[in-house]
PDB file of all heavy atoms in Angstrom:
ATOM      1  N   ASN I 291      91.436 116.521  90.136  1.00 75.00           N
ATOM      2  CA  ASN I 291      92.747 117.007  90.683  1.00 75.00           C
ATOM      3  C   ASN I 291      93.932 116.064  90.462  1.00 75.00           C
ATOM      4  O   ASN I 291      95.033 116.478  90.798  1.00 75.00           O
ATOM      5  CB  ASN I 291      92.614 117.282  92.241  1.00 75.00           C
ATOM      6  CG  ASN I 291      91.678 118.416  92.365  1.00 75.00           C
ATOM      7  OD1 ASN I 291      91.730 119.541  91.827  1.00 75.00           O
ATOM      8  ND2 ASN I 291      90.635 118.122  93.212  1.00 75.00           N
ATOM      9  N   ASN I 348      92.494 115.819 100.809  1.00 90.00           N
ATOM     10  CA  ASN I 348      92.405 117.246 101.047  1.00 90.00           C
ATOM     11  C   ASN I 348      92.665 118.145  99.851  1.00 90.00           C
ATOM     12  O   ASN I 348      93.206 119.163  99.916  1.00 90.00           O
ATOM     13  CB  ASN I 348      93.352 117.601 102.103  1.00 90.00           C
ATOM     14  CG  ASN I 348      94.865 117.495 101.705  1.00 90.00           C
ATOM     15  OD1 ASN I 348      95.142 116.711 101.033  1.00 90.00           O
ATOM     16  ND2 ASN I 348      95.711 118.373 102.477  1.00 90.00           N
ATOM     17  N   PHE I 349      92.390 117.574  98.680  1.00 84.00           N
ATOM     18  CA  PHE I 349      92.582 118.511  97.436  1.00 84.00           C
ATOM     19  C   PHE I 349      91.813 119.897  97.508  1.00 84.00           C
ATOM     20  O   PHE I 349      92.372 120.934  97.255  1.00 84.00           O
ATOM     21  CB  PHE I 349      92.146 117.801  96.162  1.00 84.00           C
ATOM     22  CG  PHE I 349      93.169 116.811  95.644  1.00 84.00           C
ATOM     23  CD1 PHE I 349      92.776 115.555  95.306  1.00 84.00           C
ATOM     24  CD2 PHE I 349      94.452 117.237  95.378  1.00 84.00           C
ATOM     25  CE1 PHE I 349      93.669 114.693  94.785  1.00 84.00           C
ATOM     26  CE2 PHE I 349      95.407 116.364  94.834  1.00 84.00           C
ATOM     27  CZ  PHE I 349      94.997 115.077  94.611  1.00 84.00           C
ATOM     28  N   ASN I 350      90.529 119.759  97.885  1.00 83.00           N
ATOM     29  CA  ASN I 350      89.627 120.880  97.884  1.00 83.00           C
ATOM     30  C   ASN I 350      90.101 121.892  98.949  1.00 83.00           C
ATOM     31  O   ASN I 350      90.178 123.181  98.531  1.00 83.00           O
ATOM     32  CB  ASN I 350      88.129 120.512  98.211  1.00 83.00           C
ATOM     33  CG  ASN I 350      87.609 119.707  97.014  1.00 83.00           C
ATOM     34  OD1 ASN I 350      87.989 119.933  95.919  1.00 83.00           O
ATOM     35  ND2 ASN I 350      86.522 118.916  97.241  1.00 83.00           N
ATOM     36  N   ARG I 351      90.528 121.457 100.170  1.00 87.00           N
ATOM     37  CA  ARG I 351      91.010 122.335 101.042  1.00 87.00           C
ATOM     38  C   ARG I 351      92.346 123.142 100.655  1.00 87.00           C
ATOM     39  O   ARG I 351      92.460 124.354 100.804  1.00 87.00           O
ATOM     40  CB  ARG I 351      91.241 121.688 102.428  1.00 87.00           C
ATOM     41  CG  ARG I 351      91.575 122.638 103.552  1.00 87.00           C
ATOM     42  CD  ARG I 351      91.812 122.002 104.883  1.00 87.00           C
ATOM     43  NE  ARG I 351      93.131 121.431 104.857  1.00 87.00           N
ATOM     44  CZ  ARG I 351      93.413 120.197 105.389  1.00 87.00           C
ATOM     45  NH1 ARG I 351      92.485 119.455 106.010  1.00 87.00           N
ATOM     46  NH2 ARG I 351      94.605 119.755 105.318  1.00 87.00           N
ATOM     47  N   ARG I 352      93.244 122.340 100.077  1.00 85.00           N
ATOM     48  CA  ARG I 352      94.388 122.985  99.504  1.00 85.00           C
ATOM     49  C   ARG I 352      94.064 123.961  98.493  1.00 85.00           C
ATOM     50  O   ARG I 352      94.676 125.039  98.424  1.00 85.00           O
ATOM     51  CB  ARG I 352      95.390 121.863  98.901  1.00 85.00           C
ATOM     52  CG  ARG I 352      95.959 121.043 100.051  1.00 85.00           C
ATOM     53  CD  ARG I 352      97.015 120.074  99.454  1.00 85.00           C
ATOM     54  NE  ARG I 352      98.052 120.675  98.757  1.00 85.00           N
ATOM     55  CZ  ARG I 352      99.102 121.262  99.231  1.00 85.00           C
ATOM     56  NH1 ARG I 352      99.254 121.430 100.617  1.00 85.00           N
ATOM     57  NH2 ARG I 352     100.037 121.866  98.489  1.00 85.00           N
ATOM     58  N   LEU I 353      93.154 123.696  97.521  1.00 84.00           N
ATOM     59  CA  LEU I 353      92.699 124.623  96.547  1.00 84.00           C
ATOM     60  C   LEU I 353      92.111 125.906  97.268  1.00 84.00           C
ATOM     61  O   LEU I 353      92.374 127.036  96.791  1.00 84.00           O
ATOM     62  CB  LEU I 353      91.770 124.077  95.506  1.00 84.00           C
ATOM     63  CG  LEU I 353      92.338 123.131  94.499  1.00 84.00           C
ATOM     64  CD1 LEU I 353      91.347 122.388  93.810  1.00 84.00           C
ATOM     65  CD2 LEU I 353      93.283 123.816  93.593  1.00 84.00           C
ATOM     66  N   GLN I 354      91.203 125.723  98.143  1.00 85.00           N
ATOM     67  CA  GLN I 354      90.633 126.837  98.822  1.00 85.00           C
ATOM     68  C   GLN I 354      91.654 127.709  99.525  1.00 85.00           C
ATOM     69  O   GLN I 354      91.372 128.853  99.585  1.00 85.00           O
ATOM     70  CB  GLN I 354      89.493 126.348  99.773  1.00 85.00           C
ATOM     71  CG  GLN I 354      88.395 125.840  99.190  1.00 85.00           C
ATOM     72  CD  GLN I 354      87.423 125.119 100.140  1.00 85.00           C
ATOM     73  OE1 GLN I 354      87.765 124.883 101.391  1.00 85.00           O
ATOM     74  NE2 GLN I 354      86.307 124.666  99.708  1.00 85.00           N
ATOM     75  N   ASN I 355      92.732 127.132  99.922  1.00 84.00           N
ATOM     76  CA  ASN I 355      93.777 127.870 100.671  1.00 84.00           C
ATOM     77  C   ASN I 355      94.820 128.491  99.551  1.00 84.00           C
ATOM     78  O   ASN I 355      95.823 129.034 100.017  1.00 84.00           O
ATOM     79  CB  ASN I 355      94.476 127.148 101.633  1.00 84.00           C
ATOM     80  CG  ASN I 355      93.570 126.768 102.896  1.00 84.00           C
ATOM     81  OD1 ASN I 355      92.595 127.660 103.198  1.00 84.00           O
ATOM     82  ND2 ASN I 355      93.817 125.681 103.558  1.00 84.00           N
ATOM     83  N   GLY I 356      94.549 128.292  98.317  1.00 83.00           N
ATOM     84  CA  GLY I 356      95.387 128.830  97.326  1.00 83.00           C
ATOM     85  C   GLY I 356      96.752 128.031  97.109  1.00 83.00           C
ATOM     86  O   GLY I 356      97.728 128.616  96.540  1.00 83.00           O
ATOM     87  N   LYS I 357      96.649 126.848  97.553  1.00 84.00           N
ATOM     88  CA  LYS I 357      97.944 126.058  97.502  1.00 84.00           C
ATOM     89  C   LYS I 357      97.926 124.924  96.260  1.00 84.00           C
ATOM     90  O   LYS I 357      96.897 124.746  95.701  1.00 84.00           O
ATOM     91  CB  LYS I 357      98.104 125.111  98.783  1.00 84.00           C
ATOM     92  CG  LYS I 357      98.246 125.918  99.981  1.00 84.00           C
ATOM     93  CD  LYS I 357      98.559 125.088 101.214  1.00 84.00           C
ATOM     94  CE  LYS I 357      98.824 125.988 102.529  1.00 84.00           C
ATOM     95  NZ  LYS I 357      99.056 125.209 103.560  1.00 84.00           N
ATOM     96  N   ASN I 358      99.093 124.668  95.901  1.00 79.00           N
ATOM     97  CA  ASN I 358      99.405 123.734  94.682  1.00 79.00           C
ATOM     98  C   ASN I 358      98.695 122.400  94.862  1.00 79.00           C
ATOM     99  O   ASN I 358      99.020 121.794  95.888  1.00 79.00           O
ATOM    100  CB  ASN I 358     100.801 123.712  94.419  1.00 79.00           C
ATOM    101  CG  ASN I 358     101.115 122.765  93.283  1.00 79.00           C
ATOM    102  OD1 ASN I 358     100.430 122.747  92.377  1.00 79.00           O
ATOM    103  ND2 ASN I 358     102.273 122.141  93.383  1.00 79.00           N
ATOM    104  N   VAL I 359      98.023 121.841  93.818  1.00 83.00           N
ATOM    105  CA  VAL I 359      97.648 120.384  94.000  1.00 83.00           C
ATOM    106  C   VAL I 359      98.197 119.693  92.750  1.00 83.00           C
ATOM    107  O   VAL I 359      97.890 118.487  92.589  1.00 83.00           O
ATOM    108  CB  VAL I 359      96.083 120.208  93.932  1.00 83.00           C
ATOM    109  CG1 VAL I 359      95.515 120.770  95.257  1.00 83.00           C
ATOM    110  CG2 VAL I 359      95.466 120.721  92.784  1.00 83.00           C
ATOM    111  N   SER I 360      99.012 120.346  91.878  1.00 81.00           N
ATOM    112  CA  SER I 360      99.666 119.719  90.679  1.00 81.00           C
ATOM    113  C   SER I 360     100.633 118.629  91.168  1.00 81.00           C
ATOM    114  O   SER I 360     101.196 118.746  92.130  1.00 81.00           O
ATOM    115  CB  SER I 360     100.379 120.807  89.953  1.00 81.00           C
ATOM    116  OG  SER I 360     101.271 120.304  88.962  1.00 81.00           O
ATOM    117  N   SER I 363      99.760 116.712  94.727  1.00 85.00           N
ATOM    118  CA  SER I 363     100.185 117.333  95.945  1.00 85.00           C
ATOM    119  C   SER I 363      99.044 117.395  96.877  1.00 85.00           C
ATOM    120  O   SER I 363      98.360 118.310  96.836  1.00 85.00           O
ATOM    121  CB  SER I 363     100.709 118.698  95.627  1.00 85.00           C
ATOM    122  OG  SER I 363     101.911 118.698  94.920  1.00 85.00           O
ATOM    123  N   ALA I 364      98.991 116.431  97.774  1.00 89.00           N
ATOM    124  CA  ALA I 364      97.993 116.331  98.840  1.00 89.00           C
ATOM    125  C   ALA I 364      98.360 115.360  99.856  1.00 89.00           C
ATOM    126  O   ALA I 364      99.368 114.664  99.728  1.00 89.00           O
ATOM    127  CB  ALA I 364      96.645 115.982  98.245  1.00 89.00           C
ATOM    128  N   ASN I 365      97.512 115.155 100.900  1.00 90.00           N
ATOM    129  CA  ASN I 365      97.722 114.076 101.872  1.00 90.00           C
ATOM    130  C   ASN I 365      96.833 112.899 101.534  1.00 90.00           C
ATOM    131  O   ASN I 365      95.849 113.055 100.825  1.00 90.00           O
ATOM    132  CB  ASN I 365      97.159 114.626 103.285  1.00 90.00           C
ATOM    133  CG  ASN I 365      97.974 115.806 103.811  1.00 90.00           C
ATOM    134  OD1 ASN I 365      98.911 116.338 103.155  1.00 90.00           O
ATOM    135  ND2 ASN I 365      97.575 116.419 104.872  1.00 90.00           N
ATOM    136  N   ARG I 403     104.173 116.132  97.862  1.00 93.00           N
ATOM    137  CA  ARG I 403     104.125 117.524  97.324  1.00 93.00           C
ATOM    138  C   ARG I 403     104.994 117.436  96.131  1.00 93.00           C
ATOM    139  O   ARG I 403     106.123 117.060  96.132  1.00 93.00           O
ATOM    140  CB  ARG I 403     104.787 118.543  98.342  1.00 93.00           C
ATOM    141  CG  ARG I 403     103.993 118.642  99.665  1.00 93.00           C
ATOM    142  CD  ARG I 403     102.516 119.207  99.445  1.00 93.00           C
ATOM    143  NE  ARG I 403     101.871 119.315 100.660  1.00 93.00           N
ATOM    144  CZ  ARG I 403     100.937 118.478 101.221  1.00 93.00           C
ATOM    145  NH1 ARG I 403     100.780 117.431 100.618  1.00 93.00           N
ATOM    146  NH2 ARG I 403     100.421 118.794 102.345  1.00 93.00           N
ATOM    147  N   THR I 404     104.607 118.030  95.046  1.00 91.00           N
ATOM    148  CA  THR I 404     105.270 118.276  93.788  1.00 91.00           C
ATOM    149  C   THR I 404     105.359 119.807  93.627  1.00 91.00           C
ATOM    150  O   THR I 404     104.443 120.416  93.595  1.00 91.00           O
ATOM    151  CB  THR I 404     104.586 117.633  92.668  1.00 91.00           C
ATOM    152  OG1 THR I 404     104.513 116.172  92.947  1.00 91.00           O
ATOM    153  CG2 THR I 404     105.411 117.716  91.354  1.00 91.00           C
ATOM    154  N   ARG I 447      97.366 123.923  87.803  1.00 53.00           N
ATOM    155  CA  ARG I 447      96.149 123.856  88.547  1.00 53.00           C
ATOM    156  C   ARG I 447      96.312 125.312  89.323  1.00 53.00           C
ATOM    157  O   ARG I 447      97.167 125.480  90.146  1.00 53.00           O
ATOM    158  CB  ARG I 447      96.011 122.893  89.549  1.00 53.00           C
ATOM    159  CG  ARG I 447      95.903 121.567  88.837  1.00 53.00           C
ATOM    160  CD  ARG I 447      94.739 120.856  89.269  1.00 53.00           C
ATOM    161  NE  ARG I 447      94.733 119.504  88.768  1.00 53.00           N
ATOM    162  CZ  ARG I 447      95.712 118.729  88.483  1.00 53.00           C
ATOM    163  NH1 ARG I 447      96.850 118.934  88.986  1.00 53.00           N
ATOM    164  NH2 ARG I 447      95.406 117.513  88.011  1.00 53.00           N
ATOM    165  N   LYS I 448      95.522 126.186  89.025  1.00 52.00           N
ATOM    166  CA  LYS I 448      95.288 127.395  89.718  1.00 52.00           C
ATOM    167  C   LYS I 448      93.954 127.400  90.432  1.00 52.00           C
ATOM    168  O   LYS I 448      92.944 126.867  89.879  1.00 52.00           O
ATOM    169  CB  LYS I 448      95.382 128.601  88.790  1.00 52.00           C
ATOM    170  CG  LYS I 448      96.662 128.737  88.083  1.00 52.00           C
ATOM    171  CD  LYS I 448      96.704 130.132  87.285  1.00 52.00           C
ATOM    172  CE  LYS I 448      97.990 130.394  86.551  1.00 52.00           C
ATOM    173  NZ  LYS I 448      98.969 129.639  86.225  1.00 52.00           N
ATOM    174  N   PRO I 449      93.909 127.795  91.644  1.00 47.00           N
ATOM    175  CA  PRO I 449      92.647 127.739  92.378  1.00 47.00           C
ATOM    176  C   PRO I 449      91.487 128.496  91.663  1.00 47.00           C
ATOM    177  O   PRO I 449      91.714 129.632  91.284  1.00 47.00           O
ATOM    178  CB  PRO I 449      92.966 128.447  93.716  1.00 47.00           C
ATOM    179  CG  PRO I 449      94.330 128.422  93.883  1.00 47.00           C
ATOM    180  CD  PRO I 449      94.980 128.351  92.442  1.00 47.00           C
ATOM    181  N   THR I 450      90.366 127.859  91.379  1.00 46.00           N
ATOM    182  CA  THR I 450      89.256 128.399  90.865  1.00 46.00           C
ATOM    183  C   THR I 450      88.076 128.254  91.652  1.00 46.00           C
ATOM    184  O   THR I 450      87.849 127.259  92.197  1.00 46.00           O
ATOM    185  CB  THR I 450      89.019 127.837  89.340  1.00 46.00           C
ATOM    186  OG1 THR I 450      88.734 126.420  89.559  1.00 46.00           O
ATOM    187  CG2 THR I 450      90.117 128.016  88.420  1.00 46.00           C
ATOM    188  N   PHE I 451      87.203 129.276  91.825  1.00 43.00           N
ATOM    189  CA  PHE I 451      85.993 129.205  92.630  1.00 43.00           C
ATOM    190  C   PHE I 451      84.824 129.564  91.708  1.00 43.00           C
ATOM    191  O   PHE I 451      84.812 130.515  90.978  1.00 43.00           O
ATOM    192  CB  PHE I 451      86.203 130.144  93.741  1.00 43.00           C
ATOM    193  CG  PHE I 451      87.417 129.965  94.680  1.00 43.00           C
ATOM    194  CD1 PHE I 451      88.491 130.728  94.561  1.00 43.00           C
ATOM    195  CD2 PHE I 451      87.389 128.882  95.481  1.00 43.00           C
ATOM    196  CE1 PHE I 451      89.590 130.480  95.275  1.00 43.00           C
ATOM    197  CE2 PHE I 451      88.497 128.632  96.319  1.00 43.00           C
ATOM    198  CZ  PHE I 451      89.639 129.437  96.200  1.00 43.00           C
TER     199      PHE I 451
END
Side-chain angles (χ1 to χ4, degrees):
N291 296 309
N348 72 329
F349 280 128
N350 290 337
R351 188 179 76 217
R352 288 184 58 79
L353 284 170
Q354 289 170 354
N355 291 333
K357 294 185 178 181
N358 175 39
V359 297
S360 167
S363 293
N365 299 0
R403 301 293 185 264
T404 303
R447 301 232 185 43
K448 296 187 176 26
T450 59
F451 303 100

